[in-house]
Amino acid sequence: MTDKDRPSPEAFLRQAAQEGRGRLKVFLGAAPGVGKTWEMLTDGRHRREAGVDVVIGVVETHGRRETGALVEGHEIVARREVDHQGHSLGEMDIDAILERRPQLVLVDELAHSNAPGSRHPKRYQDVEELLDAGIDVYSTLNIQHVESLNDVVASFTRVRVRETVPDSILENAEIEVVDIPPDELIERLRDGKVYIPQEATRALTHFFSKSNLTALRELALRRAAQAVDAQMLDHVRSHALAGSFAVGERIVVAVSELPVAAELVRAGKRLADALRAPWTAVYIETRRSQSLTDEDRRQLADTLALASRLGASTATVPAASVVEGLQAFARDARATQIVIGKSARPWWFEMRHGSVVDQLVRMIDDVAVHVLPGEPEAKAAGRRAVAAPGRWGTPSDYIWSLAMVAAMTALGRLLIEVIDLGNISLLYLVPVMFAAATFGLRAGLFAGLASSLAYNFFFLPPTGTLTVNNPENVISILVLLGVAIVTSQFAARVRAQADLAQSSARQNAALASFSRLLTAAPDQDALMQAICAEVGRLLDVRTVILLPSADGPTLRAAVPPEDRLEQIERAAAQWAMDNAQPAGRGSATLTASDWLFHPLRTTRGVLGVLGLTRDDAREPVRSDQVPLLMSLLDQASIALDRMELEEASLRARQIDERDRLRSALLSSVSHDLRTPLTTILSAAQEMQRHPSPALAETIEAEARRLNRFVSNLLDMVRVEAGALPMKVEATDLFDAAASAAHDTRASLAGHDVKVDISPNIPLVRVDPVLLHHCLINLLDNAGRYADPDTPITIRARRTADAIELSVIDQGPGIAPGNEKRVFETFTRLEGSDRAKHGTGLGLAIVKGFAEAMGLTVAASNNEEPHGACFTIRIPEALIITNLTDKDVP
């Protein structure tokens, strides 16, 4: 089976990955109101009528009567109620669907964000789990929610959508575009069929303008076409189907090391823009590529970099010839059009080597070939006159080839009495093949000529001369020379292909190792240091990374460590950032700099620059290293962009968390401050009329409660700020427990506090004030949740490597799985047995104070008697076995 007939292994693997999974169908629309949910429900009804087991996982009717009518008749899986900040939210119950296990489930709004506490943060992740379980899913999506189009949509709508879906979700999905003309959608808005009238009026002047809807409609149609095209290519590759399957245009631009290649790239860009088609700039690497000069390699790298900047994919493909490489690449890419330049060659050159353009046109039937004129012949001839250094090899190559010929001659003289004269000539094929495979074509031809002469001189009569008396021997010499030439040609070609394959394998291995290294970096600083180290190792250069700042380029990483750069280097780095072009030594700008700076470009702009230099005053990057450097720069840019996006996402999550905490704080303050203040005000007003000791005690108790609440707020601020004053001294745990029990006697009224601490428990090195606060909060927590009239125990036990100080109540205990969550700030475990009044600060303060002293705290449940147990663990290092003067306060 030839490569042309062989199915694509990658396509097979992608198809195999879908085996056993459910099928996803996405109803894609340009905007809300086009009828995605209507279409999904209609298709679902048709499937149900055809005998398919269909259920509704979640559907949003938004109060539309027509949509609600389509829901009737479908089995609906009840939503799971989630409590969030005092509100009950209904989310899709994925567990109930998995248990019900229908053939098809309808899930509206694929980009929806689930309520906090759900199994997955996003609904598309719920859908992925259903698909993994073998359940088919129908879902709906608007084009502005596709991750890769988020920035594009925001650029013209001025609205950035925060709920997005990865593009990978659509890659394996069947897509049905639900489309209506913009004028019809605007009419639906005005009729109140999408939003209520007030919202519809506002939407028409902002997001739902006709220009926005037209652009969104084009994006939806184009994205669907791309998905269908990719799936079609996967199918034809996995089945090795012939043909380009030109549903959409795909353009390939063949580039070379000639300056005219830049014109080809620009022409390819114009053609791709006109056809709205993806395009690729490809360089076919043949054995001729080894003889390129440094200037040629630099020109080739610039051409590929230009193509990348203009939006093309770039590829370098090793092949035996340019025509074979282009034909194979165009077939694999299912290209529909090829752009190639016709070089100005003399007639004798084309007679000898043939014309690449003519061969390509003859060999490719179903692809349009655009031929652009090349350089003028005089200029091309001038370029060809510059021979690449070393293309004839070194003198040692010819000496070794001659030595092999001599060795075969000596062997032939020894065997002349044993074998026929005709077989002696076969021995000379050995040095020819050796020289061609080891040193190249010219050395092989030299060995063939030397072998013919040696065979004639030493073996053909009359020996010792180059005269040939027998005409048959002339034929033997010519055949030997011809076989030597052909053999050296084949051997040299195999060697060149092996060199190309080996070079490509080395580069691929280096890029794979570089990618794994970048993926493992934990943060941005480590990532930049890894980039510098690996680029420096692969290219044998010194490296730095500079990022933009208000004060200009800032040095962030260097290998070996670099303290500062000169002013000219900083100017070159700034120019590279501003212009997205290389600057410094080896470039066309600010060549006085000892460093060469390359921009790290992404779709979001220039993130920084990578600087390279050598200690021996040579150019930082050799010409043969340029393609590898370009690939390394692309991967480094993507990795830095990913890290910045992750950090931005983390900052956004932190902001959300702060907002959540602020909301919880305001809720707690409004309740926990108002309650004691109301009691105090009422008691004070009553005392004005009827003075009473009981009212005075009430005021005092509520004031203490208020004071404790304010203290907790201040303590929590100190914990989060890391500003806890520490005064460690020897502390008796019995005294600490008794003091805490005394101070909480009012809040623990009705509970008998038992202190179960042996006199043999040693002293510990802790801050007695912080430990006192920990015990007060634990006792206060126990008093709120313990059953009425049940004892509360403070217990200390010595273990092999610690002392465990526990506060135990006899109440409902802690719901399973919440043992760690109870220590989170403002956590009151909605829906659990411990969801009673309180701010959710007390246990968080205990954890913060304990960790500040080097202790740990944990929560668990007692079996007998049933209740909660909170344990402060004091490690061996803080236990005093021999009291010294420094332990005495």
Side-chain angles (χ1 to χ4, degrees):
M1 181 180 290
T2 64
D3 288 342
K4 183 176 180 179
D5 300 324
R6 182 172 63 90
S8 168
E10 294 81 5
F12 263 138
L13 289 174
R14 283 190 291 270
Q15 286 194 352
Q18 299 302 313
E19 291 294 330
R21 278 174 55 91
R23 293 189 310 108
L24 172 64
K25 182 175 182 179
V26 175
F27 294 85
L28 182 65
V34 296
K36 302 180 300 299
T37 305
W38 171 282
E39 194 67 27
M40 179 183 70
L41 290 170
T42 302
D43 272 24
R45 170 169 290 184
H46 292 160
R47 293 291 303 278
R48 179 167 56 84
E49 292 172 350
V52 177
D53 183 13
V54 182
V55 302
I56 290 179
V58 59
V59 164
E60 304 292 349
T61 63
H62 299 290
R64 301 167 190 156
R65 292 191 303 273
E66 300 88 346
T67 306
L70 286 175
V71 173
E72 296 177 2
H74 281 292
E75 178 183 345
I76 302 175
V77 177
R79 299 194 191 189
R80 177 175 55 87
E81 296 298 324
V82 178
D83 290 331
H84 177 59
Q85 296 183 358
H87 298 283
S88 181
L89 304 177
E91 295 292 355
M92 182 173 67
D93 193 340
I94 186 172
D95 290 319
I97 296 174
L98 290 172
E99 183 178 357
R100 167 66 173 74
R101 200 168 185 79
Q103 292 176 278
L104 172 64
V105 58
L106 309 182
V107 180
D108 208 3
E109 297 184 1
L110 186 61
H112 171 76
S113 294
N114 292 329
S118 301
R119 181 185 307 177
H120 302 298
K122 298 290 186 178
R123 183 170 290 169
Y124 73 80
Q125 295 171 315
D126 294 338
V127 168
E128 284 285 296
E129 186 170 346
L130 294 176
L131 295 173
D132 289 337
I135 301 173
D136 293 345
V137 177
Y138 282 2
S139 191
T140 62
L141 183 71
N142 285 324
I143 191 64
Q144 65 264 31
H145 294 287
V146 178
E147 178 66 42
S148 64
L149 301 177
N150 189 255
D151 293 334
V152 178
V153 173
S155 67
F156 61 82
T157 63
R158 301 296 187 268
V159 176
R160 182 171 294 277
V161 178
R162 299 192 179 277
E163 294 180 324
T164 58
V165 169
D167 290 57
S168 58
I169 298 294
L170 299 180
E171 290 174 0
N172 298 314
E174 177 187 349
I175 297 179
E176 178 176 328
V177 179
V178 182
D179 182 47
I180 61 174
D183 290 335
E184 185 176 336
L185 178 56
I186 291 172
E187 191 63 32
R188 284 173 54 83
L189 277 167
R190 288 175 178 157
D191 293 342
K193 296 181 179 180
V194 180
Y195 296 127
I196 60 175
Q198 295 82 357
E199 293 182 353
T201 302
R202 186 168 60 251
L204 284 170
T205 58
H206 294 83
F207 188 86
F208 283 85
S209 66
K210 185 173 181 178
S211 58
N212 285 351
L213 292 177
T214 303
L216 289 169
R217 188 186 187 198
E218 180 182 357
L219 282 178
L221 294 171
R222 189 185 303 173
R223 185 62 183 84
Q226 290 173 356
V228 171
D229 190 56
Q231 292 167 10
M232 180 270 298
L233 287 179
D234 254 3
H235 175 76
V236 298
R237 286 168 179 166
S238 63
H239 292 79
L241 300 178
S244 62
F245 287 84
V247 177
E249 298 291 343
R250 292 178 287 274
I251 300 169
V252 171
V253 180
V255 301
S256 67
E257 74 283 358
L258 301 177
V260 72
E263 299 178 16
L264 294 179
V265 168
R266 296 186 184 95
K269 167 65 174 174
R270 292 193 296 271
L271 181 61
D273 287 346
L275 298 176
R276 298 184 181 273
W279 62 296
T280 303
V282 61
Y283 172 68
I284 307 301
E285 189 176 16
T286 64
R287 56 181 177 172
R288 176 180 170 275
S289 303
Q290 299 175 346
S291 62
L292 296 181
T293 65
D294 289 347
E295 180 60 31
D296 290 337
R297 294 182 185 277
R298 189 176 295 107
Q299 180 65 51
L300 175 61
D302 291 343
T303 300
L304 292 175
L306 173 63
S308 180
R309 289 197 303 274
L310 293 178
S313 301
T314 59
T316 300
V317 179
S321 69
V322 173
V323 175
E324 291 180 15
L326 266 180
Q327 185 182 23
F329 184 83
R331 182 175 62 247
D332 183 64
R334 305 287 167 168
T336 60
Q337 305 200 37
I338 294 178
V339 178
I340 190 170
K342 181 174 178 60
S343 301
R345 303 288 191 185
W347 63 269
W348 55 266
F349 185 91
E350 292 194 0
M351 287 288 293
R352 177 186 173 191
H353 298 283
S355 168
V356 171
V357 173
D358 293 342
Q359 294 179 50
L360 191 65
V361 171
R362 285 197 302 269
M363 295 176 65
I364 297 182
D365 298 328
D366 53 353
V367 178
V369 180
H370 299 262
V371 182
L372 274 67
E375 297 177 298
E377 185 172 353
K379 184 177 180 181
R383 286 178 50 80
R384 290 193 298 273
V386 182
R391 66 185 300 177
W392 286 91
T394 61
S396 63
D397 298 346
Y398 299 94
I399 293 174
W400 278 106
S401 301
L402 198 58
M404 285 291 295
V405 173
M408 289 300 104
T409 301
L411 181 61
R413 295 299 300 176
L414 292 176
L415 300 176
I416 189 64
E417 302 296 334
V418 181
I419 61 177
D420 293 337
L421 182 62
N423 293 330
I424 294 293
S425 63
L426 299 179
L427 294 175
Y428 285 104
L429 295 181
V430 176
V432 172
M433 296 179 65
F434 170 80
T438 307
F439 306 122
L441 176 61
R442 288 171 176 77
L445 294 176
F446 171 78
L449 181 61
S451 297
S452 298
L453 294 175
Y455 179 63
N456 183 11
F457 189 83
F458 290 103
F459 296 100
L460 295 181
T463 58
T465 70
L466 297 178
T467 304
V468 181
N469 291 334
N470 190 344
E472 293 181 358
N473 293 335
V474 174
I475 296 176
S476 298
I477 293 174
L478 294 177
V479 170
L480 174 62
L481 185 60
V483 170
I485 293 174
V486 173
T487 303
S488 62
Q489 288 271 11
F490 283 129
R493 178 175 296 183
V494 170
R495 175 178 179 267
Q497 291 177 347
D499 290 342
L500 289 175
Q502 187 177 12
S503 173
S504 177
R506 283 197 303 269
Q507 180 166 327
N508 290 338
L511 292 174
S513 174
F514 187 61
S515 178
R516 287 193 299 270
L517 191 67
L518 300 188
T519 304
D523 53 50
Q524 190 181 59
D525 290 334
L527 174 63
M528 290 187 291
Q529 198 67 24
I531 292 172
C532 287
E534 193 67 5
V535 172
R537 183 185 69 83
L538 292 174
L539 302 181
D540 190 24
V541 292
R542 292 162 53 201
T543 55
V544 295
I545 286 182
L546 294 92
L547 298 185
S549 69
D551 299 327
T554 301
L555 185 64
R556 294 292 301 272
V559 173
E562 194 77 40
D563 293 333
R564 56 186 297 273
L565 294 175
E566 300 297 333
Q567 191 63 33
I568 183 64
E569 273 77 36
R570 292 191 174 276
Q574 186 65 61
W575 193 93
M577 287 182 188
D578 294 340
N579 297 275
Q581 295 288 335
R585 174 172 293 182
S587 71
T589 305
L590 297 174
T591 55
S593 169
D594 290 335
W595 291 76
L596 170 63
F597 294 97
H598 277 275
L600 299 171
R601 294 189 296 264
T602 69
T603 55
R604 298 192 300 125
V606 177
L607 303 181
V609 292
L610 174 69
L612 309 97
T613 190
R614 294 184 186 271
D615 295 328
D616 53 9
R618 291 181 296 159
E619 287 192 2
V621 181
R622 300 194 310 270
S623 59
D624 60 319
Q625 294 177 328
V626 171
L628 176 59
L629 174 61
M630 294 298 105
S631 298
L632 294 175
L633 288 172
D634 288 341
Q635 287 202 20
S637 301
I638 292 172
L640 273 176
D641 193 34
R642 173 183 57 80
M643 189 66 72
E644 283 198 2
L645 290 175
E646 287 179 355
E647 292 183 353
S649 176
L650 177 60
R651 288 193 296 270
R653 287 197 299 270
Q654 290 173 342
I655 292 173
D656 290 342
E657 180 65 15
R658 284 200 298 269
D659 290 342
R660 185 186 71 81
L661 294 179
R662 185 180 298 111
S663 176
L665 175 61
L666 292 174
S667 176
S668 297
V669 168
S670 63
H671 177 272
D672 291 88
L673 285 181
R674 187 183 298 115
T675 300
L677 284 175
T678 301
T679 304
I680 291 173
L681 289 173
S682 299
Q685 292 171 357
E686 187 64 26
M687 281 190 67
Q688 289 179 353
R689 295 191 294 268
H690 308 286
S692 168
L695 292 175
E697 291 178 1
T698 299
I699 291 175
E700 180 183 6
E702 291 300 320
R704 289 182 182 276
R705 176 183 170 191
L706 186 61
N707 181 65
R708 186 162 61 250
F709 174 70
V710 174
S711 298
N712 277 344
L713 286 176
L714 295 176
D715 289 341
M716 197 66 245
V717 171
R718 288 191 295 167
V719 167
E720 293 183 347
L724 289 174
M726 294 283 292
K727 185 179 180 182
V728 177
E729 59 186 54
T731 302
D732 188 313
L733 292 181
F734 184 87
D735 291 344
S739 175
H742 178 271
D743 287 351
T744 55
R745 63 189 184 279
S747 60
L748 298 182
H751 296 281
D752 181 20
V753 180
K754 298 180 179 179
V755 180
D756 182 11
I757 300 179
S758 171
N760 297 327
I761 293 292
L763 303 181
V764 294
R765 292 189 185 94
V766 295
D767 186 316
V769 176
L770 295 185
L771 181 61
H772 183 73
H773 278 292
C774 289
L775 290 173
I776 285 179
N777 280 306
L778 290 178
L779 289 170
D780 183 67
N781 180 77
R784 286 203 306 272
Y785 295 107
D787 293 336
D789 301 324
T790 57
I792 296 173
T793 304
I794 306 175
R795 184 182 68 194
R797 292 290 184 266
R798 185 78 157 89
T799 64
D801 58 349
I803 292 177
E804 294 183 347
L805 181 62
S806 303
V807 175
I808 306 168
D809 65 57
Q810 295 182 21
I814 302 170
N818 289 319
E819 289 83 355
K820 292 184 178 179
R821 285 192 60 209
V822 294
F823 294 104
E824 295 177 3
T825 308
F826 296 118
T827 296
R828 294 195 288 184
L829 303 182
E830 287 83 350
S832 74
D833 292 334
R834 301 184 71 84
K836 296 189 177 183
H837 59 277
T839 63
L841 286 174
L843 295 180
I845 291 171
V846 171
K847 183 174 183 291
F849 283 5
E851 290 177 348
M853 293 185 288
L855 316 179
T856 57
V857 61
S860 61
N861 285 318
N862 283 332
E863 293 297 333
E864 187 62 38
H866 188 272
C869 176
F870 293 87
T871 301
I872 298 175
R873 191 174 186 274
I874 305 170
E876 184 70 31
L878 299 180
I879 299 175
I880 302 174
T881 54
N882 295 309
L883 196 64
T884 62
D885 290 340
K886 69 177 183 179
D887 296 316
V888 179

